[in-house]
Amino acid sequence: MFSFDNLGNVITTVLSVVALLFFVSAGYNLHLRRKAERAAAAARDAEKLDSLRPVGLKPYEGADPQGVAWAARREIMRVLARKPHSAVVNGESVDVAALIADLATLRYTTTPHEHAKTPLKAFIATAVGQINLWLERDPEDRHKYWVFHPGLESTRATALGFISTNLLDAFEPEAEPVS
């Protein structure tokens, strides 16, 4: 039944099983940890984005509009970096790579400007969703567009910045409906 002659083999077998269980458990724990880290990162991203949506606030209440514009620019650029697959401006498809390249040059300025009555409406589709932007043509420079994010109260009133592009020359803003 049991003999001391096989004791070495029994101990080796038991230690091998324990080591195997240890490595399987460690691998599973690593898997769970990475899954929790990804979930935490996604929650932080959602929290950042939610912090940009001051529900019911007037454009300049609750947050510094320049700070909100900076945070919105950062978030928009992060989303646009995820390989957008289509872009539409005022209902017409445009070269998505060219539009993203132009938006990547978005420059912030504190110089005030006149708001256009009818901005160009841009929709950019990415794997993580759609971004809506308003592009207002500068009255003095036809190739300069002020970029707004209509999804946030503060960024409807405060420009995220401006871009210079020839891509949108053919577009005219949609006419306002007559009341």
Side-chain angles (χ1 to χ4, degrees):
M1 192 153 129
F2 178 76
S3 71
F4 287 103
D5 296 336
N6 292 337
L7 184 60
N9 290 339
V10 170
I11 291 174
T12 303
T13 303
V14 169
L15 289 177
S16 296
V17 169
V18 168
L20 179 64
L21 289 174
F22 173 79
F23 285 113
V24 167
S25 175
Y28 184 69
N29 285 339
L30 179 63
H31 166 73
L32 290 178
R33 180 178 170 197
R34 287 184 177 159
K35 185 176 178 181
E37 287 172 352
R38 284 191 300 268
R44 282 192 305 273
D45 286 347
E47 183 178 292
K48 286 179 200 171
L49 193 56
D50 285 343
S51 71
L52 297 176
R53 295 186 185 117
V55 178
L57 296 178
K58 299 281 189 252
Y60 294 105
E61 291 178 346
D64 170 35
Q66 291 178 352
V68 172
W70 178 85
R73 271 194 312 277
R74 187 186 69 221
E75 289 300 310
I76 288 168
M77 292 308 189
R78 181 185 61 81
V79 173
L80 290 179
R82 296 193 177 173
K83 299 183 182 171
H85 51 81
S86 67
V88 175
V89 174
N90 279 8
E92 294 184 36
S93 292
V94 296
D95 180 5
V96 67
L99 183 59
I100 298 308
D102 289 337
L103 287 170
T105 67
L106 184 69
R107 291 181 294 278
Y108 180 73
T109 182
T110 57
T111 306
H113 69 283
E114 295 289 324
H115 279 283
K117 290 182 180 175
T118 54
L120 297 174
K121 293 176 176 84
F123 302 97
I124 303 164
T126 70
V128 294
Q130 179 173 291
I131 294 180
N132 303 333
L133 298 174
W134 288 346
L135 307 170
E136 293 185 359
R137 185 174 284 142
D138 190 271
E140 296 173 13
D141 182 355
R142 184 169 173 75
H143 303 296
K144 184 176 183 179
Y145 293 86
W146 295 91
V147 180
F148 294 85
H149 180 16
L152 306 170
E153 290 292 328
S154 292
T155 56
R156 273 188 223 140
T158 303
L160 301 176
F162 69 91
I163 61 172
S164 294
T165 182
N166 296 329
L167 180 67
L168 306 172
D169 286 351
F171 294 97
E172 290 300 326
E174 294 176 356
E176 287 290 315
V178 178
S179 322

